[in-house]
Amino acid sequence: MITIGLADAALAGDLVIPDEPTGMVLFAHGSGSSRHSPRNRAVAHGLNAAGIGTLLLDLLTEQEERHDAATAALRFDIEMLTMRLIGTIDRLAEGLEAAPRTAGVPLGLFGASTGAAAALAATAARPNVAAVVSRGGRPDLAGPSLPRVRAPVLLIVGGRDPEVLELNRRAQERLDGRAELHVVSGATHLFEEPGALEEVTTQAAEWFNLHLRRASGR
């Protein structure tokens, strides 16, 4: 575990950097989840196997998580989550004290649920983000930031998650041709069906490897 010290909080994270990584992917959790999410950890493991470094980060402190568990308020504070992602992006670009190799490495963001909105809003503010993947996300909550996103975006949604699928289709239109939509057939919101999460991982790894390599000039 590492700690990312920001202006308003010290955030806990789990960092894995393979030898000669293609790039780094910062995970933005949402809707009451954390870096311990088994789904995001499974995706991160798959990215590591594909040669991509990962940082699973808690965007809320322990005290804030307890408050959010009781009120569900902070998970929808997209502005706060976005600012914490931006702070972490800047720290990664500078090189973490615990992992100076992150400096200058191409960076991608992986967002789930409301974390996807924060990931897109942060990408709009930081052009050094090379690619974004959203899993069952709420990109619509990024609002006016969507047209300002310049990085390629992959929106992954379950075929049996109709409301979120429609919200992603609308967000795709506002991303001005920079987004692709991948529908996992038969999957519900949490991708619990056999093979669904594996498909998410495969799609994410291919997307990040393609665009992070392009960003590095490989």
Side-chain angles (χ1 to χ4, degrees), residues 42-208:
V43 174
H45 181 73
L47 296 184
N48 298 152
I52 302 168
T54 55
L55 174 57
L56 292 147
L57 185 71
D58 287 341
L59 293 178
L60 302 179
T61 65
E62 289 185 4
Q63 182 177 358
E64 289 169 341
E65 285 180 356
R66 288 192 293 270
H67 175 66
D68 185 66
T71 66
L74 296 178
R75 69 190 68 179
F76 289 101
D77 190 340
I78 305 302
E79 182 177 358
M80 182 190 74
L81 299 178
T82 298
M83 293 308 299
R84 290 185 176 179
L85 274 180
I86 289 172
T88 305
I89 289 167
D90 293 344
R91 292 292 311 280
L92 285 168
E94 296 166 357
L96 300 175
E97 182 177 347
R101 285 195 297 154
T102 64
V105 173
L107 178 66
L109 299 183
F110 184 99
S113 192
T114 54
L120 288 165
T123 299
R126 289 294 183 268
N128 59 315
V129 176
V132 180
V133 173
S134 164
R135 173 185 65 80
R138 289 292 309 275
D140 56 296
L141 295 177
S145 295
L146 289 175
R148 296 189 287 110
V149 173
R150 293 293 174 262
V153 179
L154 178 62
L155 304 170
I156 305 177
V157 187
R160 294 170 56 200
D161 191 10
E163 292 183 8
V164 172
L165 180 55
E166 179 59 27
L167 291 170
N168 275 257
R169 284 178 173 145
R170 294 178 189 174
Q172 183 186 20
E173 294 175 357
R174 299 189 64 200
L175 285 162
D176 295 337
R178 283 177 293 277
E180 293 185 15
L181 177 65
H182 181 85
V183 179
V184 179
S185 180
T188 51
H189 185 63
L190 296 180
F191 299 90
E192 296 174 307
E193 294 72 22
L197 196 58
E198 289 79 2
E199 185 172 340
V200 171
T201 302
T202 297
Q203 292 294 319
E206 291 178 356
W207 189 262
F208 283 128

